[in-house]
Amino acid sequence: MSDPLNLKCPGSDPQSTAMPALFSCLACGADIEVWSDESGGRCPSCDAYFKRMQLSDGSPLTPDEKLQVLIQYARKSGAGDAVILSIADIVIDDGLADRCREPRCENYGLSKSCPPHVPGPAALRNQLAHFHQAIFFKIDVPSEVLYSTERREVFQLLHEIASGIEDRAADIGFAGARAYAGGSCKKIFCHEHSQCRVISENGKCRHPRHARPSMSGFGINVAALFKTAGWTMSGTMQNPDATTTRTANVCGLVLIH
Ligand code: SF4
C-alpha cells in the first residue's frame, strides 16, 4: 500500500510551460513534434537523430550526418550491420565476373541484372570515378536458412534494403545513388515467370522498385569489402562447442555521390 505521506494532489505539481511545435525531419521530411524543453531525439519515421536547434534554424544535415541516416536506415530495415566505405575500398576483379560465365553460374543470362546483360567490371570502374563513398551492409542468417524455402525471403529483404537505401539517399540529397545486391532477381522476384520480361520482350522490369543488379556480374570483390568492414565472412563457426551454429551472410552495396 502506498505511504499516505507520499500521496499528493497531482494539481500541486509545478506546471510545465513546455509547448509542442511541429518540424520537418531533415532526413526524411516526416513531421516531428518536439516539445520546447526537448533538446533532441529520434525521428519516429526514419530514426534519424535530430537536435532541436538544427530543426529550428533549418540547418541542413552535413554529409557525414546524411551517411549516418543511411546507416541507421539499413539497420532499422533489417541489416545485421552496415558501414560507410570509401570508393577506393571497392576492389573490382575481372576474374570474379568471368566466373559467372565459366564455370557457368546457374543464373547466367537469366535476367537483365546478370551477365552477359550487364556492362561488367570495366563499366563499373569508370562509374566509380563519379562516386565518393558507399554503404556496405550485410544480413546474417543461420546457414541452413539459405538452403531452405526461406532463402528467397532473405534475398528479397536484401534487395529491399539495397533499393531502400538508394531511395533514402536520393531523399536526403544524394541523387544518383546506385545499389547492388547479391543473388539473381530472376530467382528472387520472377521465379513464377518463365523468363525475364526485359530480356524476352524488351519490356519493363516487373520489379523496378526492388530488383537490383548482382554484384558478381560487375566483379565486386565482396571478400575484400568484408575485410575492410572488419567483418568475418560466412562459414565461420560462431561457437566452437556442440551447440555450434554456422552463420551465412548476404550483402549489398550502395554507391553514393
Ligand atoms: S523482370 Fe524480373 S528477372 Fe527481369 S530484371 Fe526485372 S525482376 Fe529481374
Side-chain angles (χ1 to χ4, degrees):
M1 190 175 163
S2 304
D3 182 347
L5 293 175
N6 290 333
L7 295 176
K8 60 179 181 177
C9 170
S12 66
D13 284 337
Q15 278 197 334
S16 170
T17 54
M19 296 289 291
L22 212 55
F23 298 97
S24 291
C25 172
L26 295 170
C28 72
D31 289 340
I32 310 175
E33 186 183 77
V34 187
W35 287 73
S36 53
D37 58 352
E38 288 182 303
S39 59
R42 289 193 179 278
C43 169
S45 178
C46 72
D47 207 33
Y49 181 76
F50 64 83
K51 294 179 196 152
R52 189 174 199 289
M53 288 286 292
Q54 200 172 30
L55 296 177
S56 306
D57 66 15
S59 59
L61 296 179
T62 65
D64 284 348
E65 287 170 335
K66 289 180 181 179
L67 291 169
Q68 285 304 325
V69 167
L70 299 180
I71 293 291
Q72 288 166 14
Y73 173 83
R75 290 176 179 155
K76 194 178 167 197
S77 302
D81 206 352
V83 291
I84 301 163
L85 299 180
S86 162
I87 284 298
D89 294 328
I90 299 173
V91 178
I92 308 295
D93 183 340
D94 291 70
L96 291 174
D98 289 345
R99 283 193 214 165
C100 297
R101 187 183 66 251
E102 188 61 49
R104 183 170 292 232
C105 167
E106 61 178 2
N107 300 320
Y108 183 80
L110 293 187
S111 82
K112 73 137 191 172
S113 299
C114 283
H117 305 294
V118 292
L124 182 56
R125 272 195 202 92
N126 289 335
Q127 280 183 12
L128 289 185
H130 304 293
F131 293 90
H132 302 293
Q133 280 158 313
I135 304 292
F136 182 52
F137 69 94
K138 63 170 180 157
I139 302 174
D140 301 321
V141 292
S143 298
E144 58 265 29
V145 168
L146 293 188
Y147 298 96
S148 75
T149 53
E150 294 172 84
R151 175 187 172 88
R152 188 177 301 125
E153 289 170 35
V154 172
F155 278 95
Q156 279 180 359
L157 176 63
L158 182 71
H159 281 244
E160 285 167 9
I161 296 174
S163 56
I165 296 173
E166 190 184 85
D167 288 346
R168 184 55 48 85
D171 289 344
I172 62 176
F174 290 128
R178 184 161 299 192
Y180 299 82
S184 159
C185 61
K186 172 68 175 66
K187 294 260 177 76
I188 300 166
F189 296 106
C190 285
H191 53 98
E192 291 178 339
H193 297 274
S194 61
Q195 289 187 298
C196 166
R197 187 158 71 188
V198 184
I199 296 174
S200 62
E201 304 169 25
N202 203 19
K204 290 185 178 170
C205 174
R206 297 182 186 98
H207 299 274
R209 188 161 168 224
H210 293 133
R212 291 297 177 270
S214 145
M215 290 190 288
S216 311
F218 290 89
I220 296 172
N221 187 327
V222 170
L225 295 180
F226 266 78
K227 193 171 175 190
T228 305
W231 299 336
T232 304
M233 271 194 87
S234 60
T236 301
M237 293 289 201
Q238 277 192 325
N239 193 349
D241 62 24
T243 59
T244 289
T245 302
R246 276 187 181 272
T247 299
N249 338 103
V250 292
C251 57
L253 183 71
V254 185
L255 307 181
I256 307 286
H257 281 287

